[in-house]
Amino acid sequence: MEDPSTLLTKLGEDDLQVLRRLSSEGAVWIVGGWVRDGLLSTHNSDMDIATDLLPSDVIRLFPNSLTHGARFGTIGVRMPGNDRTWEVTSLRSEAGYTDGRRPDAVVFGKDIIEDLSRRDFTVNSMAISFPDGEFLDPFCGMVDLHSKTIRTVGDPSKRFSEDGLRILRGYRFKAASDLWTLNDGTELAMKECVRMINKVSPERIGSEIRRIIELPSGGNSIKLMQEHGILEKILPGANLPGHFHATGDISVDMALLYCDSEVDLKTSSGIIKDNLKLTKEEVSIFELLMSLQVQNALTSAEEVRRFHVAVPPDWKGKVVRYFESKGEDRSQILSTVGPPVAGTVPLVDGNELSEFTGLDPGIRLGRLKGHLHRLQIERDMTCKEEVLDCISEIDYVNGDPLDWDLLSWP
Ligand code: ATP
Ligand code: MG
């Protein structure tokens, strides 16, 4: 663990510029994850700052700032030529929470200790003043940081009932490593306050789930969420595999949760789209993975070549990760069978095919062309003549064009 007195020496030149400008007019403290992670000797490029200045003052000092959170006291400070954002929040002493997510009214205050008392966990409620470096730890965050304990500031049930997002943040901090534990009272209250998840927006739930699965112990947090009954609220019907290790990819991990569930594909797609706000592309990848019969897929060279051509490049790694998570290793065949030698474009075009077969443009010619393209890729053909030779295998005059499979995977 680092000594708090060393933290300010870790500030970058751009941090110093922001902090100096703010402190020229008001009182300033570094708070949140930067302090927590700094004490753990881990780098956190996201800096949260508390100040007794009002949001309007912060905007005046940093005219490029992002102001959509101004009503709740938070300004995203931006500096020209720098792509970082510093979250600067005016000290708060707000009234109650009746919607379970946002304070009813924000009253700006002057008291940093009161501000820290409104933060979620003790390890997140430490502050360092700037420029003098006074370390504030009114809720014994350092003690909990030493033992890697996640404990709410104040009564856990009350704090989770004020804001259900804190429950998900608890699972996220736990996911950082298996060394973190939830304090007993905190864990019990997370379970008891499961209903509070209904008050959290799907966007926020999705963003926390994404962050959880990306962390080293994300799979264990998801398991714990299942034990606590919160996973069922977010992802109804999800069925965790025995040894669930999150891959960190949302489509892959959702497919791992739903591939052995009773829920049908249409319903599970709807759930991840609506409850986590996955993008269209993420849902499409999920649907592709869910459609696979993993044991039999990617087992022949023909199919692997089709896979190389029909699956978008950035989806392939996800498919492979899904296979690996299901205990199906395809590294051997994928490393020996590469993409087709002659590239992916059809070697025979529609005009040539029409001339060769005497077929007029239409579904018959179109499907024949598509099917030949499939054969070209599967058999790794390199010249037009080879493709045209295949036509003798197909009854293109009387056969049903719908029997001629097009290039696709699986
Ligand atoms: P990281 O930035 O590494 O994800 P963080 O702890 O800094 O972690 P932020 O979302 O940046 O998380 O929030 C900054 C600080 O604001 C937190 O450390 C915590 O003190 C406080 N905070 C954030 N969200 C809440 C919340 N829902 N309820 C109470 N306090 C919160
Ligand atoms: Mg932060």
Side-chain angles (χ1 to χ4, degrees), residues 144-160:
D144 284 338
L145 204 56
H146 264 291
S147 59
K148 291 203 161 40
T149 303
I150 299 157
R151 182 197 314 269
T152 53
V153 173
D155 177 62
S157 297
K158 178 167 172 282
R159 303 311 312 284
F160 293 136

PDB file of all heavy atoms in Angstrom, residues 144-160:
ATOM      1  N   ASP A 144     -10.286  -0.635   5.471  1.00  0.00           N
ATOM      2  CA  ASP A 144     -10.981  -1.555   4.564  1.00  0.00           C
ATOM      3  C   ASP A 144     -10.161  -1.836   3.302  1.00  0.00           C
ATOM      4  O   ASP A 144     -10.234  -2.933   2.749  1.00  0.00           O
ATOM      5  CB  ASP A 144     -12.365  -1.004   4.195  1.00  0.00           C
ATOM      6  CG  ASP A 144     -13.353  -1.178   5.349  1.00  0.00           C
ATOM      7  OD1 ASP A 144     -13.104  -2.053   6.204  1.00  0.00           O
ATOM      8  OD2 ASP A 144     -14.346  -0.421   5.404  1.00  0.00           O
ATOM      9  N   LEU A 145      -9.377  -0.844   2.906  1.00  0.00           N
ATOM     10  CA  LEU A 145      -8.527  -1.046   1.729  1.00  0.00           C
ATOM     11  C   LEU A 145      -7.457  -2.097   2.050  1.00  0.00           C
ATOM     12  O   LEU A 145      -7.152  -2.953   1.224  1.00  0.00           O
ATOM     13  CB  LEU A 145      -7.875   0.288   1.355  1.00  0.00           C
ATOM     14  CG  LEU A 145      -7.424   0.476  -0.083  1.00  0.00           C
ATOM     15  CD1 LEU A 145      -8.562   0.254  -1.056  1.00  0.00           C
ATOM     16  CD2 LEU A 145      -6.854   1.873  -0.281  1.00  0.00           C
ATOM     17  N   HIS A 146      -6.901  -2.030   3.264  1.00  0.00           N
ATOM     18  CA  HIS A 146      -5.901  -3.011   3.700  1.00  0.00           C
ATOM     19  C   HIS A 146      -6.456  -4.422   3.636  1.00  0.00           C
ATOM     20  O   HIS A 146      -5.799  -5.335   3.158  1.00  0.00           O
ATOM     21  CB  HIS A 146      -5.481  -2.729   5.157  1.00  0.00           C
ATOM     22  CG  HIS A 146      -4.228  -1.917   5.227  1.00  0.00           C
ATOM     23  ND1 HIS A 146      -3.006  -2.431   4.856  1.00  0.00           N
ATOM     24  CD2 HIS A 146      -4.009  -0.647   5.642  1.00  0.00           C
ATOM     25  CE1 HIS A 146      -2.091  -1.493   5.013  1.00  0.00           C
ATOM     26  NE2 HIS A 146      -2.667  -0.391   5.492  1.00  0.00           N
ATOM     27  N   SER A 147      -7.693  -4.579   4.128  1.00  0.00           N
ATOM     28  CA  SER A 147      -8.265  -5.936   4.168  1.00  0.00           C
ATOM     29  C   SER A 147      -9.100  -6.215   2.915  1.00  0.00           C
ATOM     30  O   SER A 147      -9.743  -7.247   2.816  1.00  0.00           O
ATOM     31  CB  SER A 147      -9.119  -6.099   5.422  1.00  0.00           C
ATOM     32  OG  SER A 147     -10.152  -5.133   5.400  1.00  0.00           O
ATOM     33  N   LYS A 148      -9.097  -5.267   1.969  1.00  0.00           N
ATOM     34  CA  LYS A 148      -9.884  -5.390   0.734  1.00  0.00           C
ATOM     35  C   LYS A 148     -11.344  -5.739   1.037  1.00  0.00           C
ATOM     36  O   LYS A 148     -11.890  -6.747   0.570  1.00  0.00           O
ATOM     37  CB  LYS A 148      -9.269  -6.413  -0.216  1.00  0.00           C
ATOM     38  CG  LYS A 148      -7.942  -5.953  -0.818  1.00  0.00           C
ATOM     39  CD  LYS A 148      -7.659  -6.669  -2.111  1.00  0.00           C
ATOM     40  CE  LYS A 148      -6.635  -6.016  -3.014  1.00  0.00           C
ATOM     41  NZ  LYS A 148      -5.467  -5.426  -2.404  1.00  0.00           N
ATOM     42  N   THR A 149     -11.935  -4.902   1.872  1.00  0.00           N
ATOM     43  CA  THR A 149     -13.329  -5.103   2.264  1.00  0.00           C
ATOM     44  C   THR A 149     -14.206  -4.033   1.621  1.00  0.00           C
ATOM     45  O   THR A 149     -13.896  -2.839   1.700  1.00  0.00           O
ATOM     46  CB  THR A 149     -13.464  -4.995   3.802  1.00  0.00           C
ATOM     47  OG1 THR A 149     -12.588  -5.947   4.387  1.00  0.00           O
ATOM     48  CG2 THR A 149     -14.898  -5.257   4.248  1.00  0.00           C
ATOM     49  N   ILE A 150     -15.307  -4.480   1.022  1.00  0.00           N
ATOM     50  CA  ILE A 150     -16.272  -3.532   0.459  1.00  0.00           C
ATOM     51  C   ILE A 150     -17.361  -3.338   1.496  1.00  0.00           C
ATOM     52  O   ILE A 150     -18.069  -4.281   1.863  1.00  0.00           O
ATOM     53  CB  ILE A 150     -16.856  -4.075  -0.859  1.00  0.00           C
ATOM     54  CG1 ILE A 150     -15.713  -4.266  -1.862  1.00  0.00           C
ATOM     55  CG2 ILE A 150     -17.925  -3.144  -1.415  1.00  0.00           C
ATOM     56  CD1 ILE A 150     -16.023  -5.257  -2.951  1.00  0.00           C
ATOM     57  N   ARG A 151     -17.469  -2.112   1.985  1.00  0.00           N
ATOM     58  CA  ARG A 151     -18.409  -1.821   3.079  1.00  0.00           C
ATOM     59  C   ARG A 151     -19.053  -0.465   2.775  1.00  0.00           C
ATOM     60  O   ARG A 151     -18.357   0.478   2.389  1.00  0.00           O
ATOM     61  CB  ARG A 151     -17.610  -1.706   4.387  1.00  0.00           C
ATOM     62  CG  ARG A 151     -18.439  -1.444   5.639  1.00  0.00           C
ATOM     63  CD  ARG A 151     -17.538  -0.937   6.800  1.00  0.00           C
ATOM     64  NE  ARG A 151     -16.319  -1.703   6.982  1.00  0.00           N
ATOM     65  CZ  ARG A 151     -16.192  -2.763   7.797  1.00  0.00           C
ATOM     66  NH1 ARG A 151     -17.195  -3.127   8.551  1.00  0.00           N
ATOM     67  NH2 ARG A 151     -15.036  -3.416   7.880  1.00  0.00           N
ATOM     68  N   THR A 152     -20.342  -0.392   2.907  1.00  0.00           N
ATOM     69  CA  THR A 152     -20.988   0.891   2.622  1.00  0.00           C
ATOM     70  C   THR A 152     -20.615   1.926   3.680  1.00  0.00           C
ATOM     71  O   THR A 152     -20.289   1.580   4.816  1.00  0.00           O
ATOM     72  CB  THR A 152     -22.534   0.769   2.628  1.00  0.00           C
ATOM     73  OG1 THR A 152     -22.933   0.179   3.856  1.00  0.00           O
ATOM     74  CG2 THR A 152     -23.046  -0.035   1.462  1.00  0.00           C
ATOM     75  N   VAL A 153     -20.711   3.169   3.286  1.00  0.00           N
ATOM     76  CA  VAL A 153     -20.606   4.260   4.250  1.00  0.00           C
ATOM     77  C   VAL A 153     -21.975   4.333   4.925  1.00  0.00           C
ATOM     78  O   VAL A 153     -22.974   4.591   4.256  1.00  0.00           O
ATOM     79  CB  VAL A 153     -20.292   5.593   3.531  1.00  0.00           C
ATOM     80  CG1 VAL A 153     -20.348   6.753   4.509  1.00  0.00           C
ATOM     81  CG2 VAL A 153     -18.953   5.525   2.827  1.00  0.00           C
ATOM     82  N   GLY A 154     -22.047   4.030   6.197  1.00  0.00           N
ATOM     83  CA  GLY A 154     -23.328   4.063   6.910  1.00  0.00           C
ATOM     84  C   GLY A 154     -24.124   2.786   6.698  1.00  0.00           C
ATOM     85  O   GLY A 154     -23.623   1.795   6.145  1.00  0.00           O
ATOM     86  N   ASP A 155     -25.383   2.841   7.098  1.00  0.00           N
ATOM     87  CA  ASP A 155     -26.245   1.651   7.102  1.00  0.00           C
ATOM     88  C   ASP A 155     -26.475   1.126   5.672  1.00  0.00           C
ATOM     89  O   ASP A 155     -27.029   1.835   4.821  1.00  0.00           O
ATOM     90  CB  ASP A 155     -27.596   2.028   7.742  1.00  0.00           C
ATOM     91  CG  ASP A 155     -28.540   0.851   7.691  1.00  0.00           C
ATOM     92  OD1 ASP A 155     -28.220  -0.181   8.306  1.00  0.00           O
ATOM     93  OD2 ASP A 155     -29.586   0.951   7.006  1.00  0.00           O
ATOM     94  N   PRO A 156     -26.055  -0.113   5.390  1.00  0.00           N
ATOM     95  CA  PRO A 156     -26.109  -0.601   4.003  1.00  0.00           C
ATOM     96  C   PRO A 156     -27.523  -0.624   3.418  1.00  0.00           C
ATOM     97  O   PRO A 156     -27.703  -0.223   2.259  1.00  0.00           O
ATOM     98  CB  PRO A 156     -25.504  -2.002   4.069  1.00  0.00           C
ATOM     99  CG  PRO A 156     -25.375  -2.363   5.498  1.00  0.00           C
ATOM    100  CD  PRO A 156     -25.425  -1.107   6.299  1.00  0.00           C
ATOM    101  N   SER A 157     -28.511  -1.077   4.204  1.00  0.00           N
ATOM    102  CA  SER A 157     -29.868  -1.138   3.625  1.00  0.00           C
ATOM    103  C   SER A 157     -30.341   0.252   3.237  1.00  0.00           C
ATOM    104  O   SER A 157     -30.960   0.443   2.179  1.00  0.00           O
ATOM    105  CB  SER A 157     -30.866  -1.719   4.628  1.00  0.00           C
ATOM    106  OG  SER A 157     -30.500  -3.021   4.916  1.00  0.00           O
ATOM    107  N   LYS A 158     -30.049   1.206   4.082  1.00  0.00           N
ATOM    108  CA  LYS A 158     -30.480   2.579   3.798  1.00  0.00           C
ATOM    109  C   LYS A 158     -29.769   3.090   2.542  1.00  0.00           C
ATOM    110  O   LYS A 158     -30.399   3.662   1.650  1.00  0.00           O
ATOM    111  CB  LYS A 158     -30.136   3.458   5.004  1.00  0.00           C
ATOM    112  CG  LYS A 158     -30.479   4.898   4.838  1.00  0.00           C
ATOM    113  CD  LYS A 158     -30.407   5.639   6.185  1.00  0.00           C
ATOM    114  CE  LYS A 158     -30.564   7.128   6.001  1.00  0.00           C
ATOM    115  NZ  LYS A 158     -29.344   7.780   5.507  1.00  0.00           N
ATOM    116  N   ARG A 159     -28.477   2.824   2.459  1.00  0.00           N
ATOM    117  CA  ARG A 159     -27.711   3.354   1.324  1.00  0.00           C
ATOM    118  C   ARG A 159     -28.127   2.699   0.002  1.00  0.00           C
ATOM    119  O   ARG A 159     -28.198   3.354  -1.025  1.00  0.00           O
ATOM    120  CB  ARG A 159     -26.190   3.171   1.551  1.00  0.00           C
ATOM    121  CG  ARG A 159     -25.643   3.816   2.824  1.00  0.00           C
ATOM    122  CD  ARG A 159     -26.057   5.268   3.021  1.00  0.00           C
ATOM    123  NE  ARG A 159     -25.886   6.128   1.878  1.00  0.00           N
ATOM    124  CZ  ARG A 159     -24.719   6.613   1.459  1.00  0.00           C
ATOM    125  NH1 ARG A 159     -23.624   6.327   2.103  1.00  0.00           N
ATOM    126  NH2 ARG A 159     -24.649   7.396   0.410  1.00  0.00           N
ATOM    127  N   PHE A 160     -28.427   1.392   0.041  1.00  0.00           N
ATOM    128  CA  PHE A 160     -28.867   0.722  -1.193  1.00  0.00           C
ATOM    129  C   PHE A 160     -30.306   1.107  -1.534  1.00  0.00           C
ATOM    130  O   PHE A 160     -30.687   1.117  -2.701  1.00  0.00           O
ATOM    131  CB  PHE A 160     -28.728  -0.802  -1.081  1.00  0.00           C
ATOM    132  CG  PHE A 160     -27.298  -1.277  -1.001  1.00  0.00           C
ATOM    133  CD1 PHE A 160     -26.917  -2.249  -0.088  1.00  0.00           C
ATOM    134  CD2 PHE A 160     -26.333  -0.744  -1.843  1.00  0.00           C
ATOM    135  CE1 PHE A 160     -25.589  -2.686  -0.013  1.00  0.00           C
ATOM    136  CE2 PHE A 160     -25.002  -1.173  -1.776  1.00  0.00           C
ATOM    137  CZ  PHE A 160     -24.633  -2.145  -0.855  1.00  0.00           C
TER     138      PHE A 160
END
